[in-house]
Every structure is written in C-alpha cells, then in structure tokens.
Amino acid sequence: MAGSAVSTVLSGARVVLPTGVVENGRVIVAGDRIAGSAPEGTPVTDLSGHWVVPGFVDMHNHGGGGASFTSGTPEEVLKGVRTHREHGTTTLIASTVTGELDELARRASLLAELVQQGDLAGIHFEGPFISPCRKGAHKEDLLRDPDPAEVRKLIDAAHGAARMVTLATELPGGLDSVRLLAEHGVIAAIGHTDASYEQTVEAIDAGATVATHLFNAMPGLAHREPGPIAALLEDERVTVELINDGTHLHPATVELAFHHAGAHRVALITDAMDAAGFGDGTYHLGPLEVAVKDGVARLVEGGSIAGSTLTLDTAFKRSVTVDGLPVESVVQAISANPAKLIGLYDQVGSLEPGKYADLVVLDSAFDLKGVMRRGEWIVNPLA
C-alpha cells in the first residue's frame, strides 16, 4: 500500500550506483529525496539479501491495468500509471497511436495536464507520420507523410509536454520534420520505417537520436542491404529501444544490440498496451481491435503484434536471468539512459543524493518486492 513520504535508511542490500554495485550498501531517504547522510536515530529498514536499483523509466508505453493512454479518461490514464508503478516504473511517458490529427491534438492536451500534475513525464507521438509498409498496429488510412506544419501542430498541442515523435524519416517531409523537432528540443525517433541504410544515416545527421523498438517494424538486417538497423546500431548519437518480452525479440537479438551499441545506448521499453498487468481478453489500441492470448497482443484483423503486455520488472528479470546481462548494464538501460534522453537525469534515473527517492527492491531471484516513488512506498517490501 502507498503511504506518506518516509525518512529511513535502507540497509544491507546490494545497491546499484552509477559507479557500480555496492555490497551491503545504504540508501538514505529523507522525505521525497535521496540524502547523503542521516541524522542519528533515523529508522533503519533492513533489506539484506535484496537488490536496490533506481526506479524504472519507461519512455514508450500505451497503457496498462486495463486502461489506455491513447483513448482513456484522465482517471483511466492514472489507473494505467498506477499499474506500471506497482511494477517498478516510477517515471513514465505516455505514448499515443495513429489517429486523426485533431483527435491527437485533443489527446495531447489532456495528457499534458497530467504531465503538469507530475503523474506523467511527457508525451510520445507514435504515428501518424509512419510508413504504410511497416505500419504494425496502426490504421493505414489514417497514416500521413510527416508535414513539418502538422508535426508542429502536435508539439504545440502538448503545451511543452512533447518528448518524442516517431517518424518514418524517408517519407516526404521527414528530414525537415526531424530538423523541426531537434530545434524544439523534442526527440526525433526513427521507427515504423522502410528506410534504406543511406536514408537512415541522412536522418541521423539531420538530428534523429532514437530508434523506436529497434528490429520491430523496419526492414531486417541483410548482407547487401543493411537497412536502418545497421545505421542505428553503429551511430554513437543514437539510443536504441528494445522490447525484451521474449515475443518481440530473440535473446540473441537482444545480446547483439547490447554488444554492438553498448549498454549506454540501449533503452528498455515496454510498448505496453491496456492488457499489461491486467490479463488476456479483447482490447482496443486506438481504433483497432486487439486480442490478447497467453500474454501476447495481436490485431484481430491481420494478426500483427500490437504492442506488448510487458511490465519493466519482467524486462529487468529477463535481461539478467535469460539474456545474462550484467545488472549494472540493465540498470543503465532501464533507468539512466531513458532519464537522460527525456531530460530528467538531474531528478531520476540513479540513486544519488538530491534526486527523487525513486527505487525498486528486488530479491535474489530478481523478482520485485518493493517500489518507492518520491519517498513513498507504492509496494512495501516489508508488508
């Protein structure tokens, strides 16, 4: 259960700091912040045998808990946010899906209010400026070329809350739209794209800095046509999103991305839809009907994968236990890197004095046992 902000010393756990893992470490919580020291008599919470890692930062998420960020009321959006918080995501960007431009602008205005309240960390527009060849779970008749004026309309509708726009940058207006986004401090992400290697390099040079769910909804890596994947992996200016749910990517593909890009250029995301943390059934992703069976979301019509039912605690555990990645690398990818990208690393993304007391407690098997956000236990490890 959530409670009021606490002052406590979390003691005895393996603590993951930017400098590495500290055995038998301490994290001092004072109100809603991490502190450098604790007054004598501060209560101690013994977390021996556990890990303490920074709260997770999800920069690509469409919903959860049965609630949609793309169409739900503010109350429903908050329900989805709470669901992901219970799974360790203490900072969350709400992602939209392709829709009518005016409807997306209205949705942005609604979500912006929740950003201003501190419930969301920003807005990510995924579509409508994407390729019909790689549309995935986006309605084809609503897709459009990335006209900079229309991109600007969505940015303006977000009232300063726009953090990222996914584009097929090879389409007419794509490069100019990338430049516009860069000028306004909004991430231009390459995704749902049919671009060649050369076109992708051109987009990166224009200012694109993120690969939207790398490998998914783009041409595969081929020996004579390396396509966008090679260009995005090789360029130090680009951070690559990965959906590590066991459905979107093979473990060898995850390992390839970490090895080639380096942990400092990977962002683990959920790309979650309503069913995350909720269960199988029939849902909607924007205007499209989605069937979730055995935790896998697919469009009813056509069968394309339609986002995921992933939560980041599951992605964390899988990255360590299945993929064999070092815990420090996973923390970089799931907390620090996305926090840096969205401009919040001075507040979240690592366990350092002065930052918000956002943290996750994991047991020795990397199962989630506790979540603290801004000094309040969302999930109390001692309950």
Side-chain angles (χ1 to χ4, degrees):
M1 296 292 291
S4 58
V6 299
S7 292
T8 185
V9 177
L10 307 178
S11 178
R14 288 178 167 181
V15 178
V16 183
L17 302 177
T19 51
V21 178
V22 178
E23 302 284 344
N24 193 25
R26 300 196 322 159
V27 178
I28 300 165
V29 178
D32 66 352
R33 302 279 174 170
I34 296 171
S37 61
E40 192 172 337
T42 300
V44 175
T45 301
D46 183 8
L47 293 177
S48 298
H50 292 76
W51 292 82
V52 175
V53 301
F56 308 146
V57 180
D58 193 354
M59 55 188 276
H60 188 156
N61 189 316
H62 299 279
S68 171
F69 300 155
T70 67
S71 58
T73 65
E75 293 73 26
E76 288 169 335
V77 172
L78 291 174
K79 179 184 176 185
V81 170
R82 285 193 295 272
T83 295
H84 284 284
R85 284 182 186 170
E86 290 166 0
H87 289 273
T89 298
T90 50
T91 302
L92 187 147
I93 300 284
S95 301
T96 64
V97 294
T98 294
E100 296 284 359
L101 208 64
D102 288 344
E103 175 54 35
L104 286 172
R106 286 192 292 272
R107 169 71 9 188
S109 182
L110 180 152
L111 293 172
E113 292 183 19
L114 298 178
V115 175
Q116 291 160 8
Q117 293 172 21
D119 296 301
L120 295 171
I123 302 167
H124 162 220
F125 295 101
E126 188 179 20
F129 311 114
I130 61 175
S131 172
C133 302
R134 305 286 175 176
K135 64 183 184 297
H138 292 256
K139 201 166 189 298
E140 185 167 353
D141 61 1
L142 295 175
L143 301 182
R144 53 212 298 145
D145 291 339
D147 179 343
E150 295 183 339
V151 174
R152 176 67 187 268
K153 177 178 178 176
L154 292 185
I155 296 173
D156 290 346
H159 306 299
R163 296 287 176 266
M164 184 163 67
V165 178
T166 292
L167 307 159
T169 53
E170 75 278 9
L171 296 175
L175 295 180
D176 285 340
S177 294
V178 168
R179 296 184 187 102
L180 172 80
L181 291 167
E183 288 169 7
H184 285 80
V186 178
I187 296 166
I190 300 172
H192 289 276
T193 177
D194 204 40
S196 66
Y197 174 89
E198 291 77 15
Q199 287 171 323
T200 306
V201 169
E202 200 174 4
I204 296 168
D205 287 340
T209 57
V210 166
T212 293
H213 43 56
L214 186 72
F215 301 106
N216 300 118
M218 61 182 65
L221 188 64
H223 62 303
R224 291 193 185 93
E225 296 181 6
I229 293 171
L232 294 162
L233 277 176
E234 73 184 8
D235 199 304
E236 282 292 322
R237 294 170 291 181
V238 176
T239 298
V240 299
E241 294 182 345
L242 299 179
I243 309 170
N244 193 12
D245 61 353
T247 297
H248 281 79
L249 300 172
H250 189 281
T253 308
V254 174
E255 198 278 333
L256 171 72
F258 270 89
H259 175 78
H260 201 79
H264 66 290
R265 289 207 293 118
V266 174
L268 291 173
I269 61 162
T270 61
D271 194 15
M273 44 78 72
D274 313 14
F278 199 66
D280 289 357
T282 301
Y283 299 85
H284 281 85
L285 186 59
L288 299 176
E289 192 173 16
V290 177
V292 178
K293 183 179 179 182
D294 299 327
V296 178
R298 293 187 180 275
L299 292 183
V300 170
E301 186 174 335
S304 293
I305 293 176
S308 84
T309 61
L310 184 64
T311 52
L312 281 181
D313 57 332
T314 298
F316 192 111
K317 178 173 180 173
R318 181 177 179 84
S319 298
V320 176
T321 62
V322 175
D323 304 308
L325 294 165
V327 174
E328 303 97 307
S329 296
V330 179
V331 166
Q332 265 191 291
I334 211 166
S335 300
N337 298 342
K340 290 173 183 176
L341 277 168
I342 62 175
L344 292 178
Y345 191 64
D346 60 332
Q347 301 175 50
V348 299
S350 66
L351 300 176
E352 296 177 272
K355 293 191 177 186
Y356 282 118
D358 291 359
L359 55 88
V360 176
V361 180
L362 305 167
D363 66 15
S364 59
F366 298 98
D367 289 316
L368 184 143
K369 294 298 176 184
V371 181
M372 177 181 282
R373 182 177 187 272
R374 301 195 177 182
E376 296 186 10
W377 286 116
I378 305 295
V379 178
N380 192 324
L382 304 181

Short mmCIF file of all heavy atoms in Angstrom, two decimals, residues 324-373:
data_model
loop_
_atom_site.label_atom_id
_atom_site.label_comp_id
_atom_site.label_asym_id
_atom_site.label_seq_id
_atom_site.Cartn_x
_atom_site.Cartn_y
_atom_site.Cartn_z
N GLY A 324 21.46 -12.97 -19.57
CA GLY A 324 22.76 -12.99 -18.92
C GLY A 324 23.48 -11.66 -18.89
O GLY A 324 24.71 -11.60 -18.80
N LEU A 325 22.73 -10.57 -18.96
CA LEU A 325 23.34 -9.25 -18.95
C LEU A 325 23.73 -8.84 -17.53
O LEU A 325 23.03 -9.18 -16.57
CB LEU A 325 22.38 -8.22 -19.53
CG LEU A 325 22.06 -8.40 -21.02
CD1 LEU A 325 20.84 -7.58 -21.41
CD2 LEU A 325 23.26 -7.99 -21.87
N PRO A 326 24.81 -8.10 -17.37
CA PRO A 326 25.19 -7.61 -16.04
C PRO A 326 24.10 -6.69 -15.47
O PRO A 326 23.49 -5.91 -16.22
CB PRO A 326 26.48 -6.83 -16.28
CG PRO A 326 26.99 -7.30 -17.60
CD PRO A 326 25.78 -7.68 -18.40
N VAL A 327 23.88 -6.78 -14.18
CA VAL A 327 22.85 -5.95 -13.54
C VAL A 327 23.10 -4.47 -13.81
O VAL A 327 22.17 -3.70 -14.09
CB VAL A 327 22.79 -6.24 -12.02
CG1 VAL A 327 21.84 -5.28 -11.33
CG2 VAL A 327 22.36 -7.68 -11.78
N GLU A 328 24.37 -4.06 -13.75
CA GLU A 328 24.68 -2.65 -13.97
C GLU A 328 24.27 -2.20 -15.38
O GLU A 328 23.80 -1.07 -15.56
CB GLU A 328 26.18 -2.38 -13.79
CG GLU A 328 26.72 -2.80 -12.43
CD GLU A 328 27.37 -4.18 -12.47
OE1 GLU A 328 26.70 -5.14 -12.93
OE2 GLU A 328 28.53 -4.30 -12.04
N SER A 329 24.44 -3.09 -16.36
CA SER A 329 24.05 -2.74 -17.73
C SER A 329 22.55 -2.61 -17.86
O SER A 329 22.04 -1.72 -18.55
CB SER A 329 24.56 -3.81 -18.71
OG SER A 329 25.97 -3.85 -18.73
N VAL A 330 21.81 -3.49 -17.19
CA VAL A 330 20.36 -3.43 -17.24
C VAL A 330 19.85 -2.16 -16.57
O VAL A 330 18.93 -1.50 -17.06
CB VAL A 330 19.75 -4.69 -16.59
CG1 VAL A 330 18.22 -4.62 -16.64
CG2 VAL A 330 20.24 -5.94 -17.30
N VAL A 331 20.46 -1.79 -15.46
CA VAL A 331 20.07 -0.54 -14.77
C VAL A 331 20.30 0.66 -15.69
O VAL A 331 19.47 1.58 -15.75
CB VAL A 331 20.83 -0.40 -13.44
CG1 VAL A 331 20.70 1.01 -12.89
CG2 VAL A 331 20.31 -1.41 -12.43
N GLN A 332 21.43 0.67 -16.39
CA GLN A 332 21.67 1.75 -17.35
C GLN A 332 20.53 1.84 -18.36
O GLN A 332 20.01 2.93 -18.63
CB GLN A 332 22.97 1.49 -18.11
CG GLN A 332 24.20 2.15 -17.57
CD GLN A 332 25.36 2.04 -18.55
OE1 GLN A 332 25.90 0.96 -18.78
NE2 GLN A 332 25.74 3.15 -19.13
N ALA A 333 20.15 0.69 -18.90
CA ALA A 333 19.19 0.66 -20.00
C ALA A 333 17.76 0.91 -19.55
O ALA A 333 16.93 1.40 -20.32
CB ALA A 333 19.27 -0.68 -20.72
N ILE A 334 17.46 0.60 -18.31
CA ILE A 334 16.07 0.66 -17.84
C ILE A 334 15.79 1.92 -17.00
O ILE A 334 14.63 2.26 -16.76
CB ILE A 334 15.73 -0.62 -17.04
CG1 ILE A 334 14.25 -0.99 -17.19
CG2 ILE A 334 16.12 -0.50 -15.58
CD1 ILE A 334 13.93 -2.40 -16.73
N SER A 335 16.86 2.61 -16.59
CA SER A 335 16.69 3.79 -15.74
C SER A 335 17.48 4.99 -16.23
O SER A 335 16.92 6.01 -16.61
CB SER A 335 17.10 3.45 -14.28
OG SER A 335 16.32 2.41 -13.74
N ALA A 336 18.81 4.87 -16.24
CA ALA A 336 19.66 6.03 -16.51
C ALA A 336 19.51 6.56 -17.93
O ALA A 336 19.31 7.77 -18.14
CB ALA A 336 21.12 5.68 -16.23
N ASN A 337 19.60 5.66 -18.91
CA ASN A 337 19.58 6.12 -20.31
C ASN A 337 18.28 6.82 -20.69
O ASN A 337 18.31 7.92 -21.26
CB ASN A 337 19.86 4.96 -21.26
CG ASN A 337 21.24 4.36 -21.06
OD1 ASN A 337 22.11 4.98 -20.46
ND2 ASN A 337 21.43 3.15 -21.55
N PRO A 338 17.12 6.22 -20.41
CA PRO A 338 15.88 6.94 -20.75
C PRO A 338 15.72 8.24 -19.98
O PRO A 338 15.20 9.22 -20.51
CB PRO A 338 14.77 5.93 -20.44
CG PRO A 338 15.40 4.86 -19.62
CD PRO A 338 16.83 4.84 -19.95
N ALA A 339 16.17 8.27 -18.73
CA ALA A 339 16.09 9.51 -17.95
C ALA A 339 16.92 10.61 -18.60
O ALA A 339 16.49 11.78 -18.66
CB ALA A 339 16.55 9.27 -16.51
N LYS A 340 18.10 10.24 -19.09
CA LYS A 340 18.94 11.23 -19.78
C LYS A 340 18.27 11.71 -21.06
O LYS A 340 18.26 12.91 -21.36
CB LYS A 340 20.31 10.62 -20.08
CG LYS A 340 21.17 10.38 -18.85
CD LYS A 340 22.45 9.61 -19.19
CE LYS A 340 23.25 9.33 -17.93
NZ LYS A 340 24.45 8.49 -18.22
N LEU A 341 17.71 10.79 -21.83
CA LEU A 341 17.10 11.15 -23.11
C LEU A 341 15.96 12.14 -22.94
O LEU A 341 15.81 13.07 -23.74
CB LEU A 341 16.59 9.89 -23.81
CG LEU A 341 17.61 9.09 -24.61
CD1 LEU A 341 17.03 7.73 -24.98
CD2 LEU A 341 18.03 9.84 -25.87
N ILE A 342 15.14 11.93 -21.93
CA ILE A 342 13.97 12.80 -21.76
C ILE A 342 14.26 14.01 -20.88
O ILE A 342 13.35 14.76 -20.52
CB ILE A 342 12.75 12.02 -21.22
CG1 ILE A 342 13.02 11.43 -19.83
CG2 ILE A 342 12.35 10.92 -22.21
CD1 ILE A 342 11.81 10.75 -19.21
N GLY A 343 15.54 14.20 -20.55
CA GLY A 343 15.95 15.41 -19.86
C GLY A 343 15.65 15.45 -18.38
O GLY A 343 15.55 16.53 -17.79
N LEU A 344 15.55 14.28 -17.74
CA LEU A 344 15.20 14.24 -16.32
C LEU A 344 16.28 13.59 -15.46
O LEU A 344 16.02 13.25 -14.29
CB LEU A 344 13.87 13.49 -16.13
CG LEU A 344 12.63 14.16 -16.69
CD1 LEU A 344 11.40 13.28 -16.47
CD2 LEU A 344 12.42 15.53 -16.05
N TYR A 345 17.48 13.41 -15.99
CA TYR A 345 18.50 12.69 -15.23
C TYR A 345 18.97 13.46 -14.00
O TYR A 345 19.53 12.88 -13.08
CB TYR A 345 19.70 12.35 -16.13
CG TYR A 345 20.67 11.38 -15.49
CD1 TYR A 345 20.27 10.08 -15.17
CD2 TYR A 345 21.98 11.76 -15.21
CE1 TYR A 345 21.16 9.19 -14.59
CE2 TYR A 345 22.87 10.87 -14.63
CZ TYR A 345 22.46 9.59 -14.32
OH TYR A 345 23.33 8.70 -13.74
N ASP A 346 18.72 14.75 -13.97
CA ASP A 346 19.05 15.50 -12.75
C ASP A 346 18.09 15.20 -11.61
O ASP A 346 18.35 15.55 -10.46
CB ASP A 346 19.06 17.01 -13.04
CG ASP A 346 17.72 17.52 -13.52
OD1 ASP A 346 16.95 16.74 -14.14
OD2 ASP A 346 17.41 18.71 -13.28
N GLN A 347 16.96 14.52 -11.92
CA GLN A 347 15.95 14.22 -10.90
C GLN A 347 15.77 12.73 -10.64
O GLN A 347 15.47 12.33 -9.52
CB GLN A 347 14.60 14.80 -11.33
CG GLN A 347 14.60 16.31 -11.56
CD GLN A 347 13.26 16.78 -12.10
OE1 GLN A 347 12.21 16.46 -11.57
NE2 GLN A 347 13.30 17.54 -13.19
N VAL A 348 15.90 11.92 -11.69
CA VAL A 348 15.63 10.48 -11.58
C VAL A 348 16.66 9.71 -12.41
O VAL A 348 17.47 10.29 -13.11
CB VAL A 348 14.20 10.13 -12.08
CG1 VAL A 348 13.14 10.85 -11.26
CG2 VAL A 348 14.04 10.47 -13.57
N GLY A 349 16.62 8.37 -12.29
CA GLY A 349 17.46 7.54 -13.14
C GLY A 349 18.68 6.96 -12.47
O GLY A 349 19.34 6.08 -13.02
N SER A 350 19.00 7.43 -11.26
CA SER A 350 20.11 6.86 -10.49
C SER A 350 19.88 7.17 -9.02
O SER A 350 19.10 8.06 -8.66
CB SER A 350 21.46 7.43 -10.95
OG SER A 350 21.54 8.81 -10.66
N LEU A 351 20.58 6.41 -8.18
CA LEU A 351 20.44 6.58 -6.72
C LEU A 351 21.55 7.50 -6.23
O LEU A 351 22.60 7.06 -5.76
CB LEU A 351 20.51 5.21 -6.04
CG LEU A 351 19.43 4.21 -6.46
CD1 LEU A 351 19.66 2.86 -5.79
CD2 LEU A 351 18.03 4.74 -6.14
N GLU A 352 21.31 8.80 -6.35
CA GLU A 352 22.29 9.80 -5.94
C GLU A 352 21.64 10.86 -5.07
O GLU A 352 20.48 11.23 -5.29
CB GLU A 352 22.91 10.45 -7.18
CG GLU A 352 23.70 9.50 -8.06
CD GLU A 352 24.23 10.18 -9.30
OE1 GLU A 352 23.51 10.23 -10.31
OE2 GLU A 352 25.38 10.67 -9.24
N PRO A 353 22.36 11.38 -4.08
CA PRO A 353 21.80 12.42 -3.20
C PRO A 353 21.27 13.60 -3.99
O PRO A 353 21.87 14.05 -4.97
CB PRO A 353 23.00 12.82 -2.33
CG PRO A 353 23.85 11.59 -2.29
CD PRO A 353 23.72 10.98 -3.65
N GLY A 354 20.10 14.08 -3.58
CA GLY A 354 19.45 15.21 -4.23
C GLY A 354 18.39 14.81 -5.23
O GLY A 354 17.51 15.60 -5.55
N LYS A 355 18.47 13.57 -5.74
CA LYS A 355 17.45 13.10 -6.68
C LYS A 355 16.24 12.58 -5.92
O LYS A 355 16.31 12.31 -4.71
CB LYS A 355 18.02 12.01 -7.59
CG LYS A 355 19.11 12.51 -8.53
CD LYS A 355 19.47 11.48 -9.58
CE LYS A 355 20.50 12.04 -10.55
NZ LYS A 355 20.78 11.12 -11.68
N TYR A 356 15.13 12.42 -6.64
CA TYR A 356 13.94 11.84 -6.03
C TYR A 356 14.24 10.43 -5.52
O TYR A 356 15.02 9.68 -6.12
CB TYR A 356 12.79 11.77 -7.03
CG TYR A 356 12.09 13.09 -7.25
CD1 TYR A 356 12.07 13.68 -8.51
CD2 TYR A 356 11.45 13.75 -6.20
CE1 TYR A 356 11.43 14.89 -8.73
CE2 TYR A 356 10.81 14.97 -6.40
CZ TYR A 356 10.80 15.53 -7.66
OH TYR A 356 10.18 16.74 -7.87
N ALA A 357 13.62 10.09 -4.42
CA ALA A 357 13.75 8.75 -3.85
C ALA A 357 12.83 7.80 -4.61
O ALA A 357 11.77 7.40 -4.13
CB ALA A 357 13.43 8.76 -2.36
N ASP A 358 13.24 7.49 -5.83
CA ASP A 358 12.54 6.54 -6.70
C ASP A 358 13.41 5.30 -6.80
O ASP A 358 14.54 5.38 -7.33
CB ASP A 358 12.34 7.13 -8.11
CG ASP A 358 11.36 8.28 -8.16
OD1 ASP A 358 10.80 8.63 -7.11
OD2 ASP A 358 11.16 8.83 -9.26
N LEU A 359 12.92 4.17 -6.31
CA LEU A 359 13.76 2.98 -6.30
C LEU A 359 12.91 1.72 -6.31
O LEU A 359 11.71 1.74 -6.03
CB LEU A 359 14.69 3.00 -5.08
CG LEU A 359 14.05 3.15 -3.70
CD1 LEU A 359 13.66 1.80 -3.11
CD2 LEU A 359 15.00 3.86 -2.76
N VAL A 360 13.57 0.64 -6.68
CA VAL A 360 12.93 -0.67 -6.76
C VAL A 360 13.75 -1.66 -5.93
O VAL A 360 14.99 -1.66 -5.99
CB VAL A 360 12.83 -1.16 -8.22
CG1 VAL A 360 12.24 -2.57 -8.29
CG2 VAL A 360 11.97 -0.19 -9.04
N VAL A 361 13.05 -2.49 -5.16
CA VAL A 361 13.68 -3.53 -4.36
C VAL A 361 13.39 -4.88 -5.02
O VAL A 361 12.23 -5.21 -5.29
CB VAL A 361 13.16 -3.54 -2.91
CG1 VAL A 361 13.83 -4.64 -2.09
CG2 VAL A 361 13.37 -2.17 -2.25
N LEU A 362 14.45 -5.62 -5.33
CA LEU A 362 14.34 -6.94 -5.96
C LEU A 362 14.95 -7.99 -5.04
O LEU A 362 15.93 -7.70 -4.33
CB LEU A 362 15.08 -6.96 -7.30
CG LEU A 362 14.69 -5.89 -8.32
CD1 LEU A 362 15.71 -5.85 -9.45
CD2 LEU A 362 13.30 -6.16 -8.88
N ASP A 363 14.40 -9.20 -5.06
CA ASP A 363 15.02 -10.26 -4.26
C ASP A 363 16.16 -10.90 -5.04
O ASP A 363 16.51 -10.47 -6.15
CB ASP A 363 13.98 -11.28 -3.79
CG ASP A 363 13.35 -12.09 -4.92
OD1 ASP A 363 13.88 -12.08 -6.06
OD2 ASP A 363 12.31 -12.75 -4.67
N SER A 364 16.76 -11.93 -4.49
CA SER A 364 17.94 -12.53 -5.11
C SER A 364 17.63 -13.19 -6.45
O SER A 364 18.54 -13.41 -7.26
CB SER A 364 18.57 -13.55 -4.16
OG SER A 364 17.62 -14.56 -3.84
N ALA A 365 16.34 -13.50 -6.69
CA ALA A 365 15.93 -14.07 -7.98
C ALA A 365 15.46 -12.99 -8.96
O ALA A 365 14.97 -13.30 -10.04
CB ALA A 365 14.81 -15.09 -7.77
N PHE A 366 15.61 -11.71 -8.56
CA PHE A 366 15.23 -10.55 -9.35
C PHE A 366 13.72 -10.41 -9.53
O PHE A 366 13.24 -9.82 -10.50
CB PHE A 366 15.95 -10.53 -10.71
CG PHE A 366 17.44 -10.44 -10.55
CD1 PHE A 366 18.23 -11.57 -10.62
CD2 PHE A 366 18.05 -9.22 -10.27
CE1 PHE A 366 19.60 -11.50 -10.44
CE2 PHE A 366 19.41 -9.14 -10.08
CZ PHE A 366 20.19 -10.28 -10.17
N ASP A 367 12.97 -10.93 -8.57
CA ASP A 367 11.54 -10.67 -8.50
C ASP A 367 11.30 -9.40 -7.70
O ASP A 367 11.97 -9.15 -6.69
CB ASP A 367 10.81 -11.85 -7.85
CG ASP A 367 10.77 -13.07 -8.74
OD1 ASP A 367 10.51 -12.93 -9.95
OD2 ASP A 367 11.02 -14.19 -8.24
N LEU A 368 10.33 -8.60 -8.14
CA LEU A 368 10.06 -7.32 -7.48
C LEU A 368 9.45 -7.53 -6.10
O LEU A 368 8.50 -8.30 -5.94
CB LEU A 368 9.12 -6.49 -8.36
CG LEU A 368 8.79 -5.08 -7.86
CD1 LEU A 368 8.70 -4.11 -9.03
CD2 LEU A 368 7.48 -5.06 -7.09
N LYS A 369 9.99 -6.83 -5.11
CA LYS A 369 9.49 -6.91 -3.74
C LYS A 369 9.08 -5.56 -3.17
O LYS A 369 8.30 -5.49 -2.22
CB LYS A 369 10.56 -7.53 -2.83
CG LYS A 369 10.87 -8.99 -3.15
CD LYS A 369 9.63 -9.87 -2.97
CE LYS A 369 9.88 -11.31 -3.37
NZ LYS A 369 8.66 -12.13 -3.27
N GLY A 370 9.61 -4.49 -3.75
CA GLY A 370 9.26 -3.16 -3.24
C GLY A 370 9.43 -2.09 -4.29
O GLY A 370 10.29 -2.21 -5.18
N VAL A 371 8.59 -1.06 -4.21
CA VAL A 371 8.71 0.10 -5.10
C VAL A 371 8.49 1.35 -4.27
O VAL A 371 7.48 1.47 -3.56
CB VAL A 371 7.67 0.08 -6.25
CG1 VAL A 371 7.85 1.30 -7.15
CG2 VAL A 371 7.74 -1.22 -7.03
N MET A 372 9.44 2.26 -4.33
CA MET A 372 9.29 3.57 -3.69
C MET A 372 9.31 4.64 -4.76
O MET A 372 10.15 4.61 -5.67
CB MET A 372 10.43 3.82 -2.69
CG MET A 372 10.38 5.19 -2.03
SD MET A 372 11.74 5.46 -0.87
CE MET A 372 11.16 4.52 0.55
N ARG A 373 8.36 5.58 -4.68
CA ARG A 373 8.34 6.71 -5.59
C ARG A 373 8.25 8.00 -4.78
O ARG A 373 7.33 8.18 -3.99
CB ARG A 373 7.18 6.63 -6.58
CG ARG A 373 7.17 7.79 -7.58
CD ARG A 373 6.05 7.67 -8.60
NE ARG A 373 6.17 8.69 -9.64
CZ ARG A 373 5.64 9.92 -9.57
NH1 ARG A 373 4.95 10.29 -8.48
NH2 ARG A 373 5.81 10.77 -10.56
#
